[in-house]
Amino acid sequence: MGNAEAPRKRPEDWLVAAEPEKTRGRFKVFLGYAPGVGKTFSMLSEGIRRHARGEDVVIGYVETHGRKGTAELAVKLEQVPPREIDYKGTPFHEMDLDAILKRRPQVVLVDELAHTNIEGSRFPKRYEDVLLLLENNIDVLSTINVQHVESLTPRIQSLTGIPVRETVPDWVLDRADEIVISDLTPEALATRMRRGDIYPVERAERALANFFRRGNLIALREMALHRVTRAVDKTLDDYVKSKQLGAHWAVTEKVAVCISASAQARDLIARGARLAEGLGGEFYVIHVQSERDEDPERKRTLDASLLFAKNLGAHIVQLTGKNIPATTAAFVSENRITQAIFGRSALKGLKKWLYYLAIQRFMSAAPHVDLHIVTQESR
């Protein structure tokens, strides 16, 4: 009787035991393309699910905007009371960062990542509060609308005509372990607006005629979807590199133009930029340096081409290597380029044979890339 067998471990117990010790909180962002698409509701719903699974979850700060459904969810979780700060004789309420750190939950919900804290707070921006929570090994669920992403703000202000005063640097979102989109069709969002689910009914038509115009919403939604795709591709990049998988693993298109220090390079760059824009992909311009590029005239031509590429938004890649096809193919494979563009002049004789040999070597080393060969006129 005294030799009873110890309980057998379940498979998930072995997985937990095998995981490395967690030293930093996980960061999950709920991204929306406009107010009212359901970011805060989705964040609260996940918090409630995680609490039901036994995790220690608290609300650091949630803004319900008077929306009934959101408010009903918020009361289901413990909330760390906000801190009151007096600013020029007026009391303001901000997230109490120190109280959360003292409470040390497993998970904290922090709404409106782009929020600017009142003067007198520990940090100027709420995303800085979040970064400190993550450093203290606390998981954070947060929300943001796409118009507050710093790199997109100028385009969105131009599109909507409405200034955006609060932004979050792109590198903050790049640190997120997961970005999920809270999505709703523009038609469904307009219906919610007219029902009074987002703003009071009397404000609905004015909002629908301004920021919430259908054209605006379609464009904003596309930007949000593209931002999430970028995050997914970054996650896949990390996974592919850690598992040493093949170059065919890709989500977004990546177009690379391979140039030399020739006058025809600008035409190739322009073609590549158009292709990248049409595919909604990333754009690269690659040059493998050679001794011939030290010639002053060739150097001036190359510098002008690279400046042209930079003005078109290209990622400039300068490589070194004696074997140009192998060096280019290695970069293309490692960075999972999907489309490669090469130029071809009207070569004859041995030069023509050497060109096709170089192309063949590139194709053998990077078999998963779609190759475009553009015939060029000599200048």
PDB file of all heavy atoms in Angstrom, residues 28-44 142-146 179-185 189 192 221 224-225 228:
ATOM      1  N   LYS A  28       0.259  42.191 -25.642  1.00  0.00           N
ATOM      2  CA  LYS A  28      -0.745  41.942 -26.679  1.00  0.00           C
ATOM      3  C   LYS A  28      -1.525  43.222 -26.931  1.00  0.00           C
ATOM      4  O   LYS A  28      -2.015  43.860 -26.002  1.00  0.00           O
ATOM      5  CB  LYS A  28      -1.693  40.816 -26.248  1.00  0.00           C
ATOM      6  CG  LYS A  28      -2.724  40.449 -27.327  1.00  0.00           C
ATOM      7  CD  LYS A  28      -3.461  39.181 -26.956  1.00  0.00           C
ATOM      8  CE  LYS A  28      -4.432  38.747 -28.052  1.00  0.00           C
ATOM      9  NZ  LYS A  28      -5.075  37.460 -27.765  1.00  0.00           N
ATOM     10  N   VAL A  29      -1.635  43.608 -28.199  1.00  0.00           N
ATOM     11  CA  VAL A  29      -2.289  44.853 -28.585  1.00  0.00           C
ATOM     12  C   VAL A  29      -3.514  44.553 -29.433  1.00  0.00           C
ATOM     13  O   VAL A  29      -3.442  43.766 -30.394  1.00  0.00           O
ATOM     14  CB  VAL A  29      -1.318  45.757 -29.375  1.00  0.00           C
ATOM     15  CG1 VAL A  29      -2.027  47.020 -29.845  1.00  0.00           C
ATOM     16  CG2 VAL A  29      -0.103  46.116 -28.519  1.00  0.00           C
ATOM     17  N   PHE A  30      -4.633  45.188 -29.075  1.00  0.00           N
ATOM     18  CA  PHE A  30      -5.862  45.110 -29.874  1.00  0.00           C
ATOM     19  C   PHE A  30      -5.926  46.391 -30.710  1.00  0.00           C
ATOM     20  O   PHE A  30      -6.057  47.493 -30.188  1.00  0.00           O
ATOM     21  CB  PHE A  30      -7.090  44.990 -28.971  1.00  0.00           C
ATOM     22  CG  PHE A  30      -7.150  43.688 -28.216  1.00  0.00           C
ATOM     23  CD1 PHE A  30      -6.472  43.544 -27.011  1.00  0.00           C
ATOM     24  CD2 PHE A  30      -7.843  42.600 -28.721  1.00  0.00           C
ATOM     25  CE1 PHE A  30      -6.502  42.342 -26.311  1.00  0.00           C
ATOM     26  CE2 PHE A  30      -7.879  41.392 -28.036  1.00  0.00           C
ATOM     27  CZ  PHE A  30      -7.207  41.261 -26.826  1.00  0.00           C
ATOM     28  N   LEU A  31      -5.792  46.219 -32.032  1.00  0.00           N
ATOM     29  CA  LEU A  31      -5.713  47.344 -32.966  1.00  0.00           C
ATOM     30  C   LEU A  31      -7.043  47.534 -33.675  1.00  0.00           C
ATOM     31  O   LEU A  31      -7.644  46.572 -34.169  1.00  0.00           O
ATOM     32  CB  LEU A  31      -4.598  47.078 -33.995  1.00  0.00           C
ATOM     33  CG  LEU A  31      -4.448  48.082 -35.141  1.00  0.00           C
ATOM     34  CD1 LEU A  31      -3.920  49.413 -34.630  1.00  0.00           C
ATOM     35  CD2 LEU A  31      -3.506  47.525 -36.213  1.00  0.00           C
ATOM     36  N   GLY A  32      -7.503  48.776 -33.743  1.00  0.00           N
ATOM     37  CA  GLY A  32      -8.729  49.091 -34.478  1.00  0.00           C
ATOM     38  C   GLY A  32      -8.475  50.151 -35.521  1.00  0.00           C
ATOM     39  O   GLY A  32      -7.443  50.820 -35.506  1.00  0.00           O
ATOM     40  N   TYR A  33      -9.442  50.317 -36.446  1.00  0.00           N
ATOM     41  CA  TYR A  33      -9.246  51.347 -37.462  1.00  0.00           C
ATOM     42  C   TYR A  33     -10.080  52.596 -37.183  1.00  0.00           C
ATOM     43  O   TYR A  33      -9.922  53.621 -37.853  1.00  0.00           O
ATOM     44  CB  TYR A  33      -9.548  50.804 -38.868  1.00  0.00           C
ATOM     45  CG  TYR A  33     -10.984  50.460 -39.156  1.00  0.00           C
ATOM     46  CD1 TYR A  33     -11.867  51.407 -39.660  1.00  0.00           C
ATOM     47  CD2 TYR A  33     -11.474  49.174 -38.956  1.00  0.00           C
ATOM     48  CE1 TYR A  33     -13.188  51.090 -39.948  1.00  0.00           C
ATOM     49  CE2 TYR A  33     -12.787  48.841 -39.240  1.00  0.00           C
ATOM     50  CZ  TYR A  33     -13.644  49.806 -39.731  1.00  0.00           C
ATOM     51  OH  TYR A  33     -14.949  49.470 -40.002  1.00  0.00           O
ATOM     52  N   ALA A  34     -10.944  52.529 -36.164  1.00  0.00           N
ATOM     53  CA  ALA A  34     -11.773  53.678 -35.803  1.00  0.00           C
ATOM     54  C   ALA A  34     -12.390  53.429 -34.436  1.00  0.00           C
ATOM     55  O   ALA A  34     -12.510  52.271 -33.998  1.00  0.00           O
ATOM     56  CB  ALA A  34     -12.875  53.897 -36.854  1.00  0.00           C
ATOM     57  N   PRO A  35     -12.815  54.482 -33.737  1.00  0.00           N
ATOM     58  CA  PRO A  35     -13.524  54.277 -32.474  1.00  0.00           C
ATOM     59  C   PRO A  35     -14.783  53.454 -32.698  1.00  0.00           C
ATOM     60  O   PRO A  35     -15.473  53.608 -33.715  1.00  0.00           O
ATOM     61  CB  PRO A  35     -13.874  55.706 -32.038  1.00  0.00           C
ATOM     62  CG  PRO A  35     -12.856  56.574 -32.722  1.00  0.00           C
ATOM     63  CD  PRO A  35     -12.590  55.912 -34.040  1.00  0.00           C
ATOM     64  N   GLY A  36     -15.081  52.558 -31.759  1.00  0.00           N
ATOM     65  CA  GLY A  36     -16.333  51.809 -31.821  1.00  0.00           C
ATOM     66  C   GLY A  36     -16.255  50.459 -32.482  1.00  0.00           C
ATOM     67  O   GLY A  36     -17.268  49.755 -32.571  1.00  0.00           O
ATOM     68  N   VAL A  37     -15.068  50.037 -32.949  1.00  0.00           N
ATOM     69  CA  VAL A  37     -14.979  48.727 -33.614  1.00  0.00           C
ATOM     70  C   VAL A  37     -14.889  47.566 -32.621  1.00  0.00           C
ATOM     71  O   VAL A  37     -15.000  46.405 -33.015  1.00  0.00           O
ATOM     72  CB  VAL A  37     -13.785  48.656 -34.596  1.00  0.00           C
ATOM     73  CG1 VAL A  37     -13.974  49.638 -35.744  1.00  0.00           C
ATOM     74  CG2 VAL A  37     -12.463  48.897 -33.883  1.00  0.00           C
ATOM     75  N   GLY A  38     -14.653  47.872 -31.331  1.00  0.00           N
ATOM     76  CA  GLY A  38     -14.697  46.807 -30.331  1.00  0.00           C
ATOM     77  C   GLY A  38     -13.375  46.443 -29.701  1.00  0.00           C
ATOM     78  O   GLY A  38     -13.237  45.359 -29.134  1.00  0.00           O
ATOM     79  N   LYS A  39     -12.373  47.332 -29.740  1.00  0.00           N
ATOM     80  CA  LYS A  39     -11.054  47.026 -29.165  1.00  0.00           C
ATOM     81  C   LYS A  39     -11.134  46.770 -27.656  1.00  0.00           C
ATOM     82  O   LYS A  39     -10.645  45.759 -27.159  1.00  0.00           O
ATOM     83  CB  LYS A  39     -10.077  48.188 -29.408  1.00  0.00           C
ATOM     84  CG  LYS A  39      -9.882  48.595 -30.832  1.00  0.00           C
ATOM     85  CD  LYS A  39      -8.943  49.765 -30.942  1.00  0.00           C
ATOM     86  CE  LYS A  39      -9.390  50.964 -30.128  1.00  0.00           C
ATOM     87  NZ  LYS A  39     -10.702  51.504 -30.553  1.00  0.00           N
ATOM     88  N   THR A  40     -11.733  47.733 -26.937  1.00  0.00           N
ATOM     89  CA  THR A  40     -11.799  47.618 -25.475  1.00  0.00           C
ATOM     90  C   THR A  40     -12.663  46.435 -25.069  1.00  0.00           C
ATOM     91  O   THR A  40     -12.338  45.707 -24.119  1.00  0.00           O
ATOM     92  CB  THR A  40     -12.338  48.924 -24.868  1.00  0.00           C
ATOM     93  OG1 THR A  40     -11.522  50.018 -25.308  1.00  0.00           O
ATOM     94  CG2 THR A  40     -12.327  48.864 -23.346  1.00  0.00           C
ATOM     95  N   PHE A  41     -13.751  46.221 -25.790  1.00  0.00           N
ATOM     96  CA  PHE A  41     -14.634  45.079 -25.511  1.00  0.00           C
ATOM     97  C   PHE A  41     -13.859  43.769 -25.673  1.00  0.00           C
ATOM     98  O   PHE A  41     -13.958  42.865 -24.831  1.00  0.00           O
ATOM     99  CB  PHE A  41     -15.831  45.120 -26.466  1.00  0.00           C
ATOM    100  CG  PHE A  41     -16.936  44.162 -26.108  1.00  0.00           C
ATOM    101  CD1 PHE A  41     -18.001  44.570 -25.322  1.00  0.00           C
ATOM    102  CD2 PHE A  41     -16.915  42.841 -26.552  1.00  0.00           C
ATOM    103  CE1 PHE A  41     -19.021  43.690 -24.989  1.00  0.00           C
ATOM    104  CE2 PHE A  41     -17.917  41.956 -26.224  1.00  0.00           C
ATOM    105  CZ  PHE A  41     -18.983  42.387 -25.437  1.00  0.00           C
ATOM    106  N   SER A  42     -13.071  43.672 -26.754  1.00  0.00           N
ATOM    107  CA  SER A  42     -12.286  42.457 -26.990  1.00  0.00           C
ATOM    108  C   SER A  42     -11.221  42.272 -25.915  1.00  0.00           C
ATOM    109  O   SER A  42     -10.975  41.154 -25.448  1.00  0.00           O
ATOM    110  CB  SER A  42     -11.620  42.519 -28.369  1.00  0.00           C
ATOM    111  OG  SER A  42     -12.584  42.561 -29.402  1.00  0.00           O
ATOM    112  N   MET A  43     -10.572  43.371 -25.516  1.00  0.00           N
ATOM    113  CA  MET A  43      -9.553  43.292 -24.473  1.00  0.00           C
ATOM    114  C   MET A  43     -10.169  42.816 -23.152  1.00  0.00           C
ATOM    115  O   MET A  43      -9.606  41.943 -22.482  1.00  0.00           O
ATOM    116  CB  MET A  43      -8.901  44.666 -24.292  1.00  0.00           C
ATOM    117  CG  MET A  43      -7.843  44.705 -23.192  1.00  0.00           C
ATOM    118  SD  MET A  43      -7.133  46.366 -22.961  1.00  0.00           S
ATOM    119  CE  MET A  43      -8.562  47.224 -22.256  1.00  0.00           C
ATOM    120  N   LEU A  44     -11.305  43.377 -22.780  1.00  0.00           N
ATOM    121  CA  LEU A  44     -11.969  42.974 -21.538  1.00  0.00           C
ATOM    122  C   LEU A  44     -12.421  41.515 -21.612  1.00  0.00           C
ATOM    123  O   LEU A  44     -12.292  40.773 -20.625  1.00  0.00           O
ATOM    124  CB  LEU A  44     -13.173  43.882 -21.275  1.00  0.00           C
ATOM    125  CG  LEU A  44     -12.846  45.300 -20.788  1.00  0.00           C
ATOM    126  CD1 LEU A  44     -14.067  46.195 -20.916  1.00  0.00           C
ATOM    127  CD2 LEU A  44     -12.359  45.266 -19.347  1.00  0.00           C
ATOM    128  N   SER A 142      -3.465  45.754 -24.270  1.00  0.00           N
ATOM    129  CA  SER A 142      -3.701  47.176 -24.499  1.00  0.00           C
ATOM    130  C   SER A 142      -4.444  47.391 -25.813  1.00  0.00           C
ATOM    131  O   SER A 142      -4.646  46.444 -26.595  1.00  0.00           O
ATOM    132  CB  SER A 142      -2.370  47.932 -24.499  1.00  0.00           C
ATOM    133  OG  SER A 142      -2.589  49.330 -24.454  1.00  0.00           O
ATOM    134  N   THR A 143      -4.843  48.646 -26.070  1.00  0.00           N
ATOM    135  CA  THR A 143      -5.608  48.973 -27.275  1.00  0.00           C
ATOM    136  C   THR A 143      -5.042  50.227 -27.936  1.00  0.00           C
ATOM    137  O   THR A 143      -4.468  51.099 -27.269  1.00  0.00           O
ATOM    138  CB  THR A 143      -7.091  49.248 -26.939  1.00  0.00           C
ATOM    139  OG1 THR A 143      -7.172  50.433 -26.113  1.00  0.00           O
ATOM    140  CG2 THR A 143      -7.722  48.081 -26.211  1.00  0.00           C
ATOM    141  N   ILE A 144      -5.234  50.308 -29.251  1.00  0.00           N
ATOM    142  CA  ILE A 144      -4.841  51.510 -29.987  1.00  0.00           C
ATOM    143  C   ILE A 144      -5.592  51.534 -31.314  1.00  0.00           C
ATOM    144  O   ILE A 144      -5.890  50.476 -31.888  1.00  0.00           O
ATOM    145  CB  ILE A 144      -3.308  51.538 -30.224  1.00  0.00           C
ATOM    146  CG1 ILE A 144      -2.872  52.870 -30.845  1.00  0.00           C
ATOM    147  CG2 ILE A 144      -2.858  50.381 -31.096  1.00  0.00           C
ATOM    148  CD1 ILE A 144      -1.360  53.033 -30.954  1.00  0.00           C
ATOM    149  N   ASN A 145      -5.908  52.736 -31.781  1.00  0.00           N
ATOM    150  CA  ASN A 145      -6.448  52.902 -33.127  1.00  0.00           C
ATOM    151  C   ASN A 145      -5.325  53.224 -34.099  1.00  0.00           C
ATOM    152  O   ASN A 145      -4.317  53.836 -33.730  1.00  0.00           O
ATOM    153  CB  ASN A 145      -7.492  54.026 -33.157  1.00  0.00           C
ATOM    154  CG  ASN A 145      -8.874  53.530 -32.788  1.00  0.00           C
ATOM    155  OD1 ASN A 145      -9.225  52.378 -33.036  1.00  0.00           O
ATOM    156  ND2 ASN A 145      -9.671  54.403 -32.182  1.00  0.00           N
ATOM    157  N   VAL A 146      -5.502  52.828 -35.354  1.00  0.00           N
ATOM    158  CA  VAL A 146      -4.428  52.915 -36.342  1.00  0.00           C
ATOM    159  C   VAL A 146      -3.973  54.351 -36.580  1.00  0.00           C
ATOM    160  O   VAL A 146      -2.815  54.589 -36.914  1.00  0.00           O
ATOM    161  CB  VAL A 146      -4.866  52.241 -37.668  1.00  0.00           C
ATOM    162  CG1 VAL A 146      -5.904  53.074 -38.408  1.00  0.00           C
ATOM    163  CG2 VAL A 146      -3.669  51.949 -38.549  1.00  0.00           C
ATOM    164  N   ILE A 179      -0.347  41.171 -32.113  1.00  0.00           N
ATOM    165  CA  ILE A 179      -1.268  42.254 -32.479  1.00  0.00           C
ATOM    166  C   ILE A 179      -2.466  41.618 -33.169  1.00  0.00           C
ATOM    167  O   ILE A 179      -2.311  40.877 -34.138  1.00  0.00           O
ATOM    168  CB  ILE A 179      -0.612  43.278 -33.414  1.00  0.00           C
ATOM    169  CG1 ILE A 179       0.588  43.946 -32.730  1.00  0.00           C
ATOM    170  CG2 ILE A 179      -1.620  44.350 -33.833  1.00  0.00           C
ATOM    171  CD1 ILE A 179       1.310  44.960 -33.601  1.00  0.00           C
ATOM    172  N   VAL A 180      -3.648  41.891 -32.643  1.00  0.00           N
ATOM    173  CA  VAL A 180      -4.867  41.358 -33.257  1.00  0.00           C
ATOM    174  C   VAL A 180      -5.749  42.535 -33.649  1.00  0.00           C
ATOM    175  O   VAL A 180      -5.768  43.561 -32.964  1.00  0.00           O
ATOM    176  CB  VAL A 180      -5.628  40.400 -32.312  1.00  0.00           C
ATOM    177  CG1 VAL A 180      -4.815  39.159 -32.032  1.00  0.00           C
ATOM    178  CG2 VAL A 180      -5.992  41.080 -31.005  1.00  0.00           C
ATOM    179  N   ILE A 181      -6.456  42.380 -34.743  1.00  0.00           N
ATOM    180  CA  ILE A 181      -7.307  43.467 -35.199  1.00  0.00           C
ATOM    181  C   ILE A 181      -8.728  43.251 -34.690  1.00  0.00           C
ATOM    182  O   ILE A 181      -9.275  42.142 -34.749  1.00  0.00           O
ATOM    183  CB  ILE A 181      -7.284  43.593 -36.740  1.00  0.00           C
ATOM    184  CG1 ILE A 181      -7.971  44.885 -37.174  1.00  0.00           C
ATOM    185  CG2 ILE A 181      -7.897  42.387 -37.419  1.00  0.00           C
ATOM    186  CD1 ILE A 181      -7.692  45.299 -38.604  1.00  0.00           C
ATOM    187  N   SER A 182      -9.302  44.310 -34.160  1.00  0.00           N
ATOM    188  CA  SER A 182     -10.723  44.311 -33.797  1.00  0.00           C
ATOM    189  C   SER A 182     -11.452  44.870 -35.006  1.00  0.00           C
ATOM    190  O   SER A 182     -11.426  46.085 -35.251  1.00  0.00           O
ATOM    191  CB  SER A 182     -10.957  45.166 -32.556  1.00  0.00           C
ATOM    192  OG  SER A 182     -10.280  44.634 -31.441  1.00  0.00           O
ATOM    193  N   ASP A 183     -12.062  44.001 -35.770  1.00  0.00           N
ATOM    194  CA  ASP A 183     -12.546  44.377 -37.093  1.00  0.00           C
ATOM    195  C   ASP A 183     -14.065  44.415 -37.153  1.00  0.00           C
ATOM    196  O   ASP A 183     -14.763  43.658 -36.456  1.00  0.00           O
ATOM    197  CB  ASP A 183     -12.009  43.392 -38.139  1.00  0.00           C
ATOM    198  CG  ASP A 183     -12.156  43.931 -39.549  1.00  0.00           C
ATOM    199  OD1 ASP A 183     -12.181  45.164 -39.712  1.00  0.00           O
ATOM    200  OD2 ASP A 183     -12.253  43.128 -40.483  1.00  0.00           O
ATOM    201  N   LEU A 184     -14.550  45.283 -37.997  1.00  0.00           N
ATOM    202  CA  LEU A 184     -15.979  45.466 -38.242  1.00  0.00           C
ATOM    203  C   LEU A 184     -16.074  46.119 -39.610  1.00  0.00           C
ATOM    204  O   LEU A 184     -15.244  46.984 -39.931  1.00  0.00           O
ATOM    205  CB  LEU A 184     -16.559  46.386 -37.161  1.00  0.00           C
ATOM    206  CG  LEU A 184     -18.067  46.386 -36.887  1.00  0.00           C
ATOM    207  CD1 LEU A 184     -18.512  45.022 -36.365  1.00  0.00           C
ATOM    208  CD2 LEU A 184     -18.396  47.454 -35.844  1.00  0.00           C
ATOM    209  N   THR A 185     -17.022  45.729 -40.434  1.00  0.00           N
ATOM    210  CA  THR A 185     -17.133  46.370 -41.741  1.00  0.00           C
ATOM    211  C   THR A 185     -17.564  47.824 -41.554  1.00  0.00           C
ATOM    212  O   THR A 185     -18.233  48.164 -40.568  1.00  0.00           O
ATOM    213  CB  THR A 185     -18.165  45.659 -42.630  1.00  0.00           C
ATOM    214  OG1 THR A 185     -19.467  45.804 -42.044  1.00  0.00           O
ATOM    215  CG2 THR A 185     -17.821  44.180 -42.795  1.00  0.00           C
ATOM    216  N   LEU A 189     -20.191  49.387 -38.784  1.00  0.00           N
ATOM    217  CA  LEU A 189     -19.799  50.464 -37.877  1.00  0.00           C
ATOM    218  C   LEU A 189     -20.760  51.646 -37.998  1.00  0.00           C
ATOM    219  O   LEU A 189     -21.142  52.252 -36.981  1.00  0.00           O
ATOM    220  CB  LEU A 189     -18.368  50.910 -38.197  1.00  0.00           C
ATOM    221  CG  LEU A 189     -17.757  51.948 -37.246  1.00  0.00           C
ATOM    222  CD1 LEU A 189     -17.711  51.435 -35.820  1.00  0.00           C
ATOM    223  CD2 LEU A 189     -16.355  52.339 -37.714  1.00  0.00           C
ATOM    224  N   ARG A 192     -23.894  50.833 -36.092  1.00  0.00           N
ATOM    225  CA  ARG A 192     -23.667  51.014 -34.654  1.00  0.00           C
ATOM    226  C   ARG A 192     -23.715  52.500 -34.300  1.00  0.00           C
ATOM    227  O   ARG A 192     -24.238  52.891 -33.259  1.00  0.00           O
ATOM    228  CB  ARG A 192     -22.313  50.440 -34.242  1.00  0.00           C
ATOM    229  CG  ARG A 192     -22.216  48.927 -34.324  1.00  0.00           C
ATOM    230  CD  ARG A 192     -21.010  48.436 -33.542  1.00  0.00           C
ATOM    231  NE  ARG A 192     -21.207  48.682 -32.124  1.00  0.00           N
ATOM    232  CZ  ARG A 192     -20.238  48.689 -31.208  1.00  0.00           C
ATOM    233  NH1 ARG A 192     -18.982  48.477 -31.586  1.00  0.00           N
ATOM    234  NH2 ARG A 192     -20.496  48.917 -29.943  1.00  0.00           N
ATOM    235  N   ARG A 221      -9.357  51.119 -42.565  1.00  0.00           N
ATOM    236  CA  ARG A 221      -9.403  49.667 -42.334  1.00  0.00           C
ATOM    237  C   ARG A 221      -8.278  48.964 -43.095  1.00  0.00           C
ATOM    238  O   ARG A 221      -7.642  48.043 -42.582  1.00  0.00           O
ATOM    239  CB  ARG A 221     -10.769  49.134 -42.780  1.00  0.00           C
ATOM    240  CG  ARG A 221     -11.011  47.675 -42.404  1.00  0.00           C
ATOM    241  CD  ARG A 221     -12.315  47.205 -42.990  1.00  0.00           C
ATOM    242  NE  ARG A 221     -12.672  45.877 -42.521  1.00  0.00           N
ATOM    243  CZ  ARG A 221     -13.453  45.040 -43.191  1.00  0.00           C
ATOM    244  NH1 ARG A 221     -13.961  45.395 -44.362  1.00  0.00           N
ATOM    245  NH2 ARG A 221     -13.739  43.847 -42.711  1.00  0.00           N
ATOM    246  N   ALA A 224      -5.055  49.429 -41.233  1.00  0.00           N
ATOM    247  CA  ALA A 224      -4.994  48.586 -40.033  1.00  0.00           C
ATOM    248  C   ALA A 224      -4.692  47.138 -40.396  1.00  0.00           C
ATOM    249  O   ALA A 224      -3.870  46.474 -39.755  1.00  0.00           O
ATOM    250  CB  ALA A 224      -6.305  48.683 -39.259  1.00  0.00           C
ATOM    251  N   LEU A 225      -5.337  46.654 -41.447  1.00  0.00           N
ATOM    252  CA  LEU A 225      -5.098  45.278 -41.883  1.00  0.00           C
ATOM    253  C   LEU A 225      -3.650  45.099 -42.341  1.00  0.00           C
ATOM    254  O   LEU A 225      -3.019  44.072 -42.061  1.00  0.00           O
ATOM    255  CB  LEU A 225      -6.073  44.908 -43.014  1.00  0.00           C
ATOM    256  CG  LEU A 225      -7.535  44.746 -42.604  1.00  0.00           C
ATOM    257  CD1 LEU A 225      -8.435  44.694 -43.834  1.00  0.00           C
ATOM    258  CD2 LEU A 225      -7.730  43.484 -41.767  1.00  0.00           C
ATOM    259  N   VAL A 228      -1.366  44.872 -39.311  1.00  0.00           N
ATOM    260  CA  VAL A 228      -1.418  43.558 -38.675  1.00  0.00           C
ATOM    261  C   VAL A 228      -0.667  42.531 -39.510  1.00  0.00           C
ATOM    262  O   VAL A 228       0.045  41.672 -38.974  1.00  0.00           O
ATOM    263  CB  VAL A 228      -2.883  43.121 -38.450  1.00  0.00           C
ATOM    264  CG1 VAL A 228      -2.949  41.679 -37.972  1.00  0.00           C
ATOM    265  CG2 VAL A 228      -3.544  44.022 -37.413  1.00  0.00           C
TER     266      VAL A 228
END
